Amino acid sequence: MLKYPSLENHYNITSSRKLMAALDKEFYATEKIHGSNMSIEFTKDSTRYFSRNREVTLDDKALGSYLATTNNLKDIESIAKSILNGSVNLDRKENDITKVIVFGELYGSGIQNMEYSENKAGVKEFRVFDVFAFEDERAYTLNAEELLHIFGQLAVPFFTEVKPLREWLTTELPETSMLGGPIEGLVYKPFDGQMLYFDNGAVCNYLGVKHKTEQFAEIKSRKKEAPVLTADEIGFKDNIERYFTMQRLDNLISKGDIELSVRNLGTIIPAYLEDVKTDYIKDNPDSYFNQRILNKAMPSLVVKLVKEKLAQ
């Protein structure tokens, strides 16, 4: 069986080089449902069911039997088999798909004590949160649009906003679940999906972050006071924001070295910031300059400009 890759806690992201390198990449968010992680593996010859740690059957009087009682299991299986047989188009597909693994959360009555509508109705449900597709020598996830459009209401609740990971990490969590009652938290994953690579049978390159509320966190977060900017820092921030214009973006792209696209934000942002820095220092040679504010507070302005340009 293939275990779902562990998600990094939002407060521990600095320990992950691969996530630190992806801070300016576009991520999407889904609700983290409080239940039991399960997966279903589809091949041409078989359908197999797994809990987090072992294979189960639909009549095992435990999680497998619980899964069998859900109303949407047959629909999910039907969609997964459509992906397997090639009747559903996927962006990354190059050859015949040989295996599909659907990962989801089993939740509701008797699973976890929550205030979800399913708990109150005394039923169990299964919602898809990720799908891995395998070809002979390649494996990849469905991207956000595929997951939402193919599975629809069979997927975990989606949030419509797409933004850089660094912005999600500082976004205030909602208090209420879309399913009812308090929310466990959010999960952030790359909007475009990701190729999968393996080491000793386990995925070794997966990008995913879980951001739990204080109520559901494994450890309590340290209380942090909001940083207080000095007069020089406030003045610098206000002044340098004037340099973030659409004309500067047009000039940068017109050089022909960078293609304007969301996928290229990791290249566009540092190039734009460097261009701003050069002009700012030239215009204000004796003024206060703060590299930290430029690097941390300004990238979101570049992302906004790129999105506005692409929408024109």
Side-chain angles (χ1 to χ4, degrees), residues 292-306:
R292 178 182 60 82
I293 290 177
L294 178 65
N295 290 344
K296 291 193 173 184
M298 300 297 114
S300 60
L301 298 181
V302 184
V303 173
K304 182 179 179 182
L305 288 169
V306 170

Side-chain angles (χ1 to χ4, degrees), residues 286-297:
D286 300 321
S287 296
Y288 173 81
F289 184 88
N290 190 302
Q291 186 71 45
R292 178 182 60 82
I293 290 177
L294 178 65
N295 290 344
K296 291 193 173 184

Side-chain angles (χ1 to χ4, degrees), residues 5-285:
S6 296
L7 303 176
E8 188 63 74
N9 285 297
H10 79 285
Y11 55 77
N12 200 39
I13 193 172
T14 54
S15 67
S16 170
R17 291 183 179 179
K18 59 188 179 185
L19 284 169
M20 290 299 289
L23 285 175
D24 294 312
K25 295 184 181 299
E26 296 284 277
F27 275 60
Y28 71 103
T30 57
E31 179 173 336
K32 190 176 191 309
I33 297 177
H34 193 45
S36 292
N37 181 320
M38 298 195 73
S39 61
I40 311 174
E41 179 185 286
F42 301 86
T43 65
K44 303 292 185 184
D45 302 318
S46 67
T47 300
R48 302 169 66 191
Y49 306 89
F50 300 89
S51 67
R52 178 70 178 175
N53 297 308
R54 64 182 180 86
E55 186 169 4
V56 300
T57 63
L58 296 182
D59 59 357
D60 64 2
K61 295 183 172 55
L63 287 177
S65 294
Y66 293 162
L67 180 64
T69 67
T70 60
N71 293 322
N72 57 3
L73 178 61
K74 295 300 181 184
D75 291 333
I76 291 172
E77 290 181 337
S78 176
I79 293 171
K81 290 175 182 177
S82 296
I83 296 173
L84 183 66
N85 67 32
S87 58
V88 175
N89 291 323
L90 302 178
D91 282 350
R92 294 181 185 270
K93 182 181 176 184
E94 293 183 357
N95 300 295
D96 289 344
I97 294 175
T98 58
K99 181 167 65 177
V100 172
I101 302 180
V102 172
F103 294 94
E105 198 77 8
L106 177 67
Y107 68 99
S109 178
I111 305 298
Q112 295 285 359
N113 185 20
M114 296 293 287
E115 296 178 34
Y116 299 147
S117 58
E118 288 82 0
N119 288 72
K120 293 183 177 181
V123 299
K124 300 172 180 63
E125 197 64 282
F126 184 66
R127 296 274 194 122
V128 177
F129 59 72
D130 216 338
V131 177
F132 293 178
F134 295 76
E135 299 174 11
D136 283 339
E137 297 182 358
R138 305 169 70 244
Y140 46 88
T141 71
L142 270 63
N143 62 41
E145 291 181 338
E146 291 169 340
L147 194 62
L148 181 57
H149 293 157
I150 294 173
F151 286 92
Q153 294 300 313
L154 302 174
V156 294
F158 269 67
F159 288 76
T160 57
E161 194 171 4
V162 177
K163 53 189 177 183
L165 175 59
R166 69 167 70 248
E167 292 185 27
W168 279 118
L169 295 173
T170 56
T171 297
E172 185 175 352
L173 291 175
E175 296 181 358
T176 304
S177 167
M178 295 185 192
L179 306 175
I183 191 170
E184 181 181 4
L186 301 182
V187 173
Y188 313 131
K189 292 181 288 189
F191 179 75
D192 290 331
Q194 46 196 313
M195 296 298 300
L196 299 173
Y197 302 99
F198 298 85
D199 183 20
N200 292 323
V203 179
C204 60
N205 68 311
Y206 193 81
L207 298 176
V209 178
K210 57 184 176 182
H211 189 175
K212 293 187 177 184
T213 63
E214 188 80 4
Q215 178 181 349
F216 291 95
E218 285 89 354
I219 66 172
K220 299 297 182 183
S221 60
R222 299 186 182 95
K223 293 189 179 297
K224 296 183 178 180
E225 295 183 1
V228 178
L229 298 181
T230 66
D232 282 342
E233 290 171 336
I234 292 173
F236 169 75
K237 187 172 181 292
D238 289 343
N239 195 25
I240 202 166
E241 283 180 353
R242 299 185 301 111
Y243 285 72
F244 287 78
T245 64
M246 187 64 75
Q247 185 61 54
R248 184 180 300 277
L249 179 62
D250 289 340
N251 293 344
L252 184 66
I253 298 302
S254 69
K255 296 176 182 178
D257 297 327
I258 305 173
E259 179 186 355
L260 182 68
S261 71
V262 171
R263 294 175 183 271
N264 282 340
L265 279 172
T267 302
I268 295 172
I269 290 173
Y272 194 106
L273 295 182
E274 186 62 29
D275 194 65
V276 168
K277 178 180 179 180
T278 299
D279 280 359
Y280 187 89
I281 292 176
K282 182 172 65 177
D283 295 344
N284 308 274

